[in-house]
Amino acid sequence: MNNKIAFGGGCHWCTEAVFQALKGVNKVDQGFIASTKSNTTFSEAVIVHFDSEIITLDILIQIHLYTHKSSSNHSMRTKYRSAIYYFSEAQKEATSQLLIKLQSEFDTPLITKTLPFKDFKPSEIQFKNYYKNNPNKPFCKTYINPKLKLLQQKFSKHLTDNIQRKSIK
């Protein structure tokens, strides 16, 4: 069954690469997302289109929390809002409950917000599929490869075959 959820937390190049590496993810739209109330400014994020019969919302949320600084309220949080943007009340409820449940796996409080999706602006074409097009660039080696390595260690059964077999340094 096709669903979508949106995630923000770090650089959208990194976030895009993480979710593109997963079985059951059909498409990742990279860009900027705005929510409501005090979160109306656009922040780097992705919309993940997924098949819930292959990968669950719970697994996607766990991966999101582990692949960005979900418990760090650093100075770049306006540009990199730590958030899960929901498209339905059912997603809102599931996300809120899972964040409470997963808190015990982290040493410090999660700051990731559960926010309604309001608006999306796509990235410029030259930035889309950044890791796929530039895997050997220093940015990718420094910031994206460690996230993919973490996926190999902690979520390997959810990775596409090409990422499972790839030697990531």
Side-chain angles (χ1 to χ4, degrees):
M1 184 169 164
N2 287 319
N3 290 292
K4 64 182 176 177
I5 190 83
F7 297 107
C11 166
H12 50 201
W13 298 351
C14 297
T15 311
E16 176 190 60
V18 163
F19 290 103
Q20 285 178 334
L22 302 174
K23 293 177 191 172
V25 171
N26 304 318
K27 182 172 83 163
V28 179
D29 297 319
Q30 181 207 111
F32 304 85
I33 293 179
S35 185
T36 59
K37 299 179 183 169
S38 63
N39 297 293
T40 58
T41 57
F42 281 92
S43 184
E44 292 191 25
V46 297
I47 301 173
V48 176
H49 302 261
F50 66 101
D51 182 337
S52 60
E53 293 179 10
I54 299 172
I55 192 161
T56 64
L57 180 62
D58 286 9
I59 293 297
L60 292 171
I61 290 171
Q62 286 179 52
I63 287 169
H64 177 59
L65 294 176
Y66 278 101
T67 57
H68 83 283
K69 295 179 179 178
S70 57
S71 62
S72 173
N73 202 9
H74 55 73
S75 63
M76 296 295 288
R77 278 294 170 218
T78 302
K79 182 177 181 180
Y80 305 124
R81 183 182 303 125
S82 182
I84 301 166
Y85 301 93
Y86 59 86
F87 290 89
S88 69
E89 287 301 311
Q91 280 184 342
K92 176 184 179 182
E93 185 61 29
T95 298
S96 297
Q97 289 178 6
L98 189 60
L99 286 172
I100 292 167
K101 179 182 168 189
L102 291 172
Q103 177 59 65
S104 65
E105 295 182 24
F106 294 85
D107 294 333
T108 55
L110 293 170
I111 62 153
T112 305
K113 299 175 184 175
T114 302
L115 300 171
F117 175 88
K118 175 89 163 97
D119 202 5
F120 178 74
K121 290 192 305 190
S123 294
E124 295 175 28
I125 193 77
Q126 71 264 28
F127 299 122
K128 293 180 181 180
N129 298 306
Y130 192 81
Y131 183 77
K132 284 183 177 182
N133 295 331
N134 304 285
N136 294 315
K137 287 214 171 179
F139 179 90
C140 295
K141 288 182 175 184
T142 302
Y143 296 104
I144 298 175
N145 280 356
K147 294 173 190 298
L148 296 178
K149 191 170 180 87
L150 182 141
L151 287 178
Q152 285 178 326
Q153 294 166 348
K154 193 163 179 67
F155 299 97
S156 62
K157 73 179 184 176
H158 300 289
L159 294 176
T160 60
D161 291 340
N162 60 332
I163 297 293
Q164 270 183 350
R165 290 189 300 266
K166 187 176 181 179
S167 175
I168 299 172
K169 296 183 174 37

